[in-house]
């Protein structure tokens, strides 16, 4: 169950990163628009929720497993960016993602 909560935390953090990027891509007419817009407020709220879920999940997940589970965020962010931000995932990005995930797994052994 704790691993599932940890994965949920990673997905929530990934969604928040995409929201923050979407908010950063917009231009606002007022001075505080970069900070007080729905994308940024929701993004930071989701980051806080992700932090709470991660702290809870570490109650039942070994510290050694944490970075391995956390490294899946690179995959989630790439997929969500392709869907919502229309970014292209080319072969080079896929190879980079695999190198990161494999490196984290090897370092945690």
């Amino acid at each position: 169950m704790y691993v599932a909560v940890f994965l949920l935390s990673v997905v929530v953090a990934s969604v928040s990163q995409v929201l923050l990027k979407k908010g950063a891509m917009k231009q606002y007419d007022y001075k505080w628009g970069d900070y007080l817009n729905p994308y940024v407020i929701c993004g930071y709220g989701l980051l806080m929720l992700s932090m709470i879920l991660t702290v809870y999940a570490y109650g039942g997940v070994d510290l050694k497993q944490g970075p391995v589970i956390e490294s899946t965020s690179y995959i989630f962010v790439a997929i969500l960016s392709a869907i919502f931000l229309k970014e292209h995932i080319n072969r080079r990005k896929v190879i980079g993602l695999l190198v990161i995930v494999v490196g984290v797994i090897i370092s945690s052994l």
Side-chain angles (χ1 to χ4, degrees):
M1 165 154 167
Y2 289 103
V3 173
V5 172
F6 208 132
L7 280 173
L8 176 64
S9 168
V10 171
V11 170
V12 169
S14 300
V15 169
S16 73
Q17 289 178 23
V18 171
L19 282 174
L20 289 170
K21 183 169 182 178
K22 189 131 176 128
M25 292 169 49
K26 290 188 150 210
Q27 295 291 325
Y28 297 95
D29 295 333
Y30 49 98
K31 184 177 181 178
W32 293 95
D34 292 337
Y35 308 104
L36 297 176
N37 65 68
Y39 292 113
V40 172
I41 293 170
C42 289
Y44 282 122
L46 288 175
L47 275 177
M48 180 176 265
L49 174 63
S50 172
M51 179 191 64
I52 293 168
L53 290 172
T54 301
V55 169
Y56 174 76
Y58 267 121
V61 172
D62 291 336
L63 290 176
K64 193 175 184 179
Q65 290 178 326
V68 176
I69 297 170
E70 192 70 40
S71 70
T72 61
S73 69
Y74 294 106
I75 298 168
F76 292 133
V77 168
I79 292 169
L80 291 172
S81 295
I83 293 170
F84 295 108
L85 302 175
K86 306 298 184 217
E87 293 182 359
H88 299 305
I89 300 177
N90 55 22
R91 181 179 295 168
R92 194 171 175 184
K93 284 184 183 180
V94 171
I95 292 170
L97 289 171
L98 289 174
V99 168
I100 290 169
V101 172
V102 170
V104 170
I105 292 170
I106 289 173
S107 70
S108 69
L109 295 177

